[in-house]
Amino acid sequence: MITTLLGGLSPRQFLEEYWQKKPLLVRQALPGFNGLLSRDELFDLACDPDVESRWVRHDGERWEVEHGPQRRSRLRGKRVPWTVLVQGVNLWLPEGDRLLHSFDFIPQARLDDLMVSYAVDGGGVGPHFDNYDVFLLQGIGKRRWRIGDQKDHNLVEGAPLRILKDFRPIHDWVLEPGDLLYLPPHWAHDGIAQGECMTYSIGFRTPTAQELGAEFLGWLQERVCLDSVYADPDLTLQENSALISEAMVDQVGAMLQAIRWDRSMVADFLGEYLTEPKAHVFFDPPDEPLSAAGFARRLEKAGFALDARSILLFRGARFFINGEALDAPAALHPALAELAHRRRLAPAGGHPPALAELLYDWYLAGFGHPPE
Ligand code: SIN
Ligand code: CO
């Protein structure tokens, strides 16, 4: 980990004292940081139909929001303050992926994405609160952050984005390039650009029980096997043929009681759910793939790097990559666990041949490649 990132705190201290508890401002968390991409590169992403983005403008009275892909013509002008926010920059930019993973003192299973915003002077998305933790890292330019821990979360009615009705900040800080602000969920905040600026948000997932439940039920549907069939050999004559009988409700209730799951199914669901690529993510298989033997030689010499879009997690012997589960032979665990943690495997000889075979499959699917 970069030693300045938490301003002298160890990751353990950060977790104990700040994570999900209180904000932390770190001046010069990344000294010399002035961004990973230029304004124009960010605009190219914002105009790409495969990339999720929002454009927000505020004329002092009315808020306007436009979801991507953005039109170039929108990304001009300074008279009325505006901002454009691009989600999932880590998926398209290896440097973004690396930045995200400098925060891996928080488990990757909690990570969501890297969002990058650009704003003209006065631009921002207004005072609001989020349901997730976020590290706000200042790129080029300056942004004034006001934050507060108010319990009043009432929102302006009818606005196209979530704006707090009555924002009462208790801290007021101007962040400069390389400064970092950690905010726990539900802290009210408002970031206003002072001159042109770009901000990098490292965001985390906080799924609700409702979301998890809905996803899990969908997952379970393909795995449960309910093999009984409704039967009523003792059917008695009903006075009214339209009545749903209590006997029928009892029998169906008993049939549904057969829907069961255990801890290993919950773990499998989690692994697949957390590594499932987002809707518009596709992998690019290599145009002119190496042969299996050529790949094994490159693996020894150069190692292997996961593609920025790949997510690899594991639990015990079960590995999950991009929504798929696999049981890896024990001999492969150390290398795969290392690859999952560091997102890279250093060049080394003597890997078991099964490792080269598995990574070759991943390489052909576009999940990763030996670094150039
Ligand atoms: C930003 O404007 O870059 C951050 C948006 C936010 O406060 O969530
Ligand atoms: Co926010």
Side-chain angles (χ1 to χ4, degrees):
M1 202 188 101
I2 303 134
T3 48
T4 48
L5 194 62
L6 295 172
L9 292 176
S10 70
R12 213 178 291 278
Q13 280 171 311
F14 172 77
L15 292 178
E16 278 171 17
E17 288 171 40
Y18 293 90
W19 177 251
Q20 298 229 309
K21 297 168 200 73
K22 58 183 183 191
L24 174 68
L25 172 67
V26 182
R27 295 286 180 193
Q28 292 307 289
L30 284 182
F33 181 77
N34 59 8
L36 303 177
L37 76 176
S38 68
R39 179 187 70 173
D40 288 330
E41 286 163 334
L42 185 73
F43 290 179
D44 286 345
L45 283 176
C47 296
D48 184 328
D50 288 332
V51 178
E52 217 184 306
S53 68
R54 272 172 307 151
W55 172 92
V56 177
R57 185 165 75 165
H58 184 47
D59 65 4
E61 238 173 76
R62 222 164 49 93
W63 289 94
E64 276 178 89
V65 179
E66 194 89 42
H67 290 274
Q70 306 298 337
R71 281 173 284 137
R72 275 270 162 189
S73 54
R74 278 228 177 277
L75 309 174
R76 288 195 199 111
K78 295 193 170 150
R79 204 175 42 79
V80 178
W82 60 272
T83 177
V84 67
L85 305 102
V86 179
Q87 292 295 149
V89 170
N90 54 299
L91 303 172
W92 313 101
L93 197 74
E95 296 78 13
D97 182 44
R98 280 199 281 281
L99 176 66
L100 200 59
H101 288 277
S102 11
F103 290 83
D104 63 11
F105 50 92
I106 308 296
Q108 290 184 41
R110 295 283 277 106
L111 263 180
D112 188 8
D113 75 343
L114 173 66
M115 180 182 81
V116 182
S117 69
Y118 166 85
V120 298
D121 185 35
V125 296
H128 65 284
F129 65 93
D130 297 310
N131 295 322
Y132 49 82
D133 310 80
V134 66
F135 288 94
L136 298 154
L137 173 65
Q138 190 55 30
I140 55 153
K142 292 186 198 174
R143 187 183 281 271
R144 174 184 183 197
W145 284 103
R146 288 177 305 151
I147 68 168
D149 61 351
Q150 65 196 70
K151 297 289 165 273
D152 171 4
H153 284 172
N154 285 317
L155 301 176
V156 172
E157 282 141 37
L161 72 174
R162 290 147 34 93
I163 303 289
L164 280 166
K165 236 184 200 159
D166 182 18
F167 178 47
R168 275 168 278 121
I170 56 172
H171 295 292
D172 189 339
W173 293 306
V174 175
L175 268 68
E176 304 208 7
D179 290 349
L180 180 73
L181 173 60
Y182 162 72
L183 287 182
H186 310 306
W187 268 70
H189 54 286
D190 187 19
I192 300 176
Q194 293 197 336
E196 278 192 306
C197 90
M198 285 173 81
T199 302
Y200 290 68
S201 303
I202 294 94
F204 294 83
R205 308 172 182 251
T206 41
T208 61
Q210 188 65 32
E211 272 162 47
L212 285 171
E215 291 290 334
F216 180 63
L217 289 176
W219 182 90
L220 194 62
Q221 190 179 340
E222 288 161 28
R223 281 145 186 101
V224 284
C225 178
L226 304 173
D227 45 16
S228 61
V229 180
Y230 189 84
D232 50 3
D234 301 326
L235 185 65
T236 52
L237 189 62
Q238 286 188 188
E239 243 173 67
N240 187 324
S241 66
L243 180 79
I244 297 171
S245 70
E246 292 311 301
M248 186 176 219
V249 175
D250 286 345
Q251 188 179 155
V252 172
M255 288 166 99
L256 297 181
Q257 291 284 340
I259 302 175
R260 292 274 154 77
W261 61 87
D262 59 22
R263 192 175 167 78
S264 77
M265 288 170 89
V266 173
D268 259 14
F269 156 71
L270 250 184
E272 292 178 30
Y273 168 73
L274 293 173
T275 61
E276 183 67 34
K278 296 209 170 150
H280 35 249
V281 168
F282 299 99
F283 293 92
D284 297 322
D287 288 333
E288 288 173 30
L290 297 164
S291 66
F295 175 83
R297 282 194 299 275
R298 288 277 302 137
L299 179 65
E300 275 198 18
K301 278 219 185 78
F304 190 80
L306 288 175
D307 183 85
R309 285 160 285 194
S310 279
I311 310 179
L312 175 61
L313 300 176
F314 71 101
R315 174 179 183 260
R318 203 97 165 117
F319 284 79
F320 304 92
I321 185 157
N322 302 329
E324 285 167 33
L326 69 128
D327 278 319
L332 272 48
H333 291 182
L336 290 181
E338 173 76 6
L339 176 63
H341 180 44
R342 306 250 172 247
R343 301 190 51 80
R344 259 174 192 265
L345 206 53
H351 285 310
L355 181 71
E357 282 164 31
L358 176 63
L359 296 183
Y360 187 56
D361 285 347
W362 291 358
Y363 160 74
L364 292 180
F367 293 175
H369 50 81
E372 291 309 317

